[in-house]
Amino acid sequence: MRYLTTLATLASVIAGPAVLLAQGTAPAPAQAPKQADTGKADAAKAGVKDPKKASSKAKAAKPPPPTPAKELFGAAKTPAPMAARAIGFYAKGCLAGAAALPIDGPAWQAMRLSRNRNWGHPDLIALIEKLAAEAKAHDGWPGLLVGDLSQPRGGPMLTGHASHQVGLDADIWLTPMPDRRLTEKEREELSATSMLAPDRVSVNPEVWTEAHIRLLKRVASYKQVERVLVHPAIKKAICTNAAAKEQDRAWLNKIRPIWGHYYHFHVRIACPKGSTNCEAQPPVGNEDGCGAELDRWLALIKNPPKPGPPGPEKAPITLNQLPVDCRAVLAGAAAPAQPPGKQAKPAGKKATVTK
Ligand SMILES: [Zn+2]
């Protein structure tokens, strides 16, 4: 975890703070083993009476630390029944009136259903549905396997992702959808395919195809899409492809290099109209990002920085640190409970309304 943080910090130096907020869902590294609370254990072993016991009452009077917001938002099983609104920033906010991506569509299937993270702002849901249909019709892409969007009320998550908090981020697998409906078990257990060659600075021609480039170009060309995050080797593959030699190159800079992101790409859309408390990111500009910046990234991939010594644990975000409207989102009356798998349909219908 610390290693990732160090890498992300380094990445932010190179590509601006935005990349810090864009962690993806590629298979997570194994958790570091939990450290024993050695102080207590030693005292217990020695059978020593705690000399500080007298002061422990005073200690107990202190208010307990606030519950991390990830526990509060992680426990919310249904969306807040309010008008749809992305509140706050991609990595510090929440989501009112979320819609669910239906778990099956004409050109997509949602994965890892047990996580209950197929929720997003209705604009994001509509965009994924449009991408799936258009990529299937025009790009030779058989369908999308859709990974994490947001929790029903957005907010910080118990596992993975610094961003994905306001319903405007989506992870989509780079593995094409198989030509059949996956079972629930397969959606939990199926592994995504890495696109990297063994050298890690280029893509593997056995799995990487022109259709991947067409798909990524399509998503980056949508006006609402502000960033598409991919591994530097994938950015390189796109930059060197013939499609990148076109006149219109503005879409290329929306394709941003970042650590990870070789099993999936991450789509981030702009703050939707009406989300007045949504905090925008700076635009990426009109460069193509295929020059010196990409070279720096590829050099970093070849020689990744060594992890530094572990620093102090970062305190988790609390509800107080989120926009004040997130309290109302959290308190919003719960929608009637529905069996898992079925919840997606009604909200999904709402999301397909054309704009
Ligand atoms: Zn992501």
Side-chain angles (χ1 to χ4, degrees):
M1 243 19 221
R2 174 65 195 164
Y3 181 56
L4 281 179
T5 311
T6 311
L7 295 181
T9 308
L10 191 78
S12 77
V13 171
I14 291 158
V19 298
L20 255 181
L21 312 168
Q23 307 300 325
T25 44
Q31 292 286 322
K34 274 187 189 155
Q35 284 184 355
D37 185 346
T38 48
K40 267 186 204 162
D42 290 349
K45 239 187 264 164
V48 180
K49 261 197 172 179
D50 187 352
K52 288 178 196 152
K53 225 171 190 174
S55 67
S56 71
K57 263 189 190 164
K59 242 183 212 169
K62 261 195 194 166
T67 309
K70 62 185 175 184
E71 287 180 24
L72 303 171
F73 283 92
K77 302 283 181 256
T78 56
M82 311 159 102
R85 219 154 45 96
I87 300 163
F89 192 59
Y90 298 90
K92 205 178 240 187
C94 61
L95 172 64
L101 179 76
I103 61 172
D104 290 302
W108 74 84
Q109 297 186 49
M111 303 296 285
R112 308 291 193 253
L113 303 177
S114 66
R115 296 184 185 181
N116 195 26
R117 291 178 181 171
N118 57 322
W119 300 89
H121 188 282
D123 284 10
L124 179 70
I125 305 298
L127 184 120
I128 294 170
E129 295 182 354
K130 182 171 86 161
L131 174 67
E134 291 186 356
K136 186 175 182 179
H138 307 297
D139 301 333
W141 191 261
L144 306 178
L145 294 179
V146 183
D148 285 359
L149 278 57
S150 291
Q151 300 176 132
R153 298 182 191 200
M157 297 184 189
L158 286 165
T159 55
H161 310 295
S163 65
H164 290 252
Q165 294 192 24
V166 289
L168 306 178
D169 294 291
D171 287 344
I172 298 174
W173 289 28
L174 288 158
T175 311
M177 188 178 90
D179 187 22
R180 66 189 174 83
R181 185 176 187 271
L182 297 169
T183 64
E184 205 166 310
K185 189 164 186 278
E186 286 173 311
R187 296 184 201 217
E188 291 301 320
E189 294 174 359
L190 192 76
S191 295
T193 310
S194 166
M195 295 292 127
L196 297 188
D199 69 2
R200 301 186 73 79
V201 287
S202 44
V203 290
N204 177 359
E206 309 256 304
V207 291
W208 178 258
T209 64
E210 294 259 333
H212 283 91
I213 297 178
R214 290 192 292 270
L215 172 69
L216 289 165
K217 178 178 179 184
R218 179 170 301 281
V219 66
S221 301
Y222 291 147
K223 199 165 160 257
Q224 284 167 286
V225 171
E226 291 196 328
R227 281 168 169 75
V228 179
L229 307 170
V230 297
H231 188 273
I234 293 177
K235 171 87 188 185
K236 183 176 87 172
I238 294 169
C239 285
T240 51
N241 183 270
K245 308 215 165 35
E246 301 160 6
Q247 288 274 295
D248 169 23
R249 298 172 67 81
W251 64 273
L252 273 167
N253 208 22
K254 289 193 199 171
I255 305 215
R256 308 293 305 159
I258 184 70
W259 303 101
H261 295 80
Y262 47 87
Y263 291 97
H264 76 276
F265 60 97
H266 174 125
V267 182
R268 172 167 296 170
I269 66 168
C271 285
K273 272 197 189 120
S275 288
T276 44
N277 291 339
C278 177
E279 194 185 322
Q281 270 196 278
V284 292
N286 291 320
E287 301 295 314
D288 59 19
C290 292
E293 187 198 12
L294 178 59
D295 290 343
R296 278 197 299 275
W297 266 105
L298 293 169
L300 266 180
I301 297 292
K302 271 190 200 151
N303 290 305
K306 298 261 180 319
E313 191 97 342
K314 222 177 138 197
I317 296 177
T318 63
L319 190 54
N320 275 343
Q321 293 170 303
L322 296 176
V324 68
D325 287 4
C326 290
R327 288 180 176 274
V329 167
L330 205 53
Q338 298 206 28
K342 299 253 160 83
Q343 28 85 317
K345 301 263 152 82
K349 258 184 213 153
K350 195 172 73 186
T352 50
V353 172
T354 44
K355 297 203 172 83

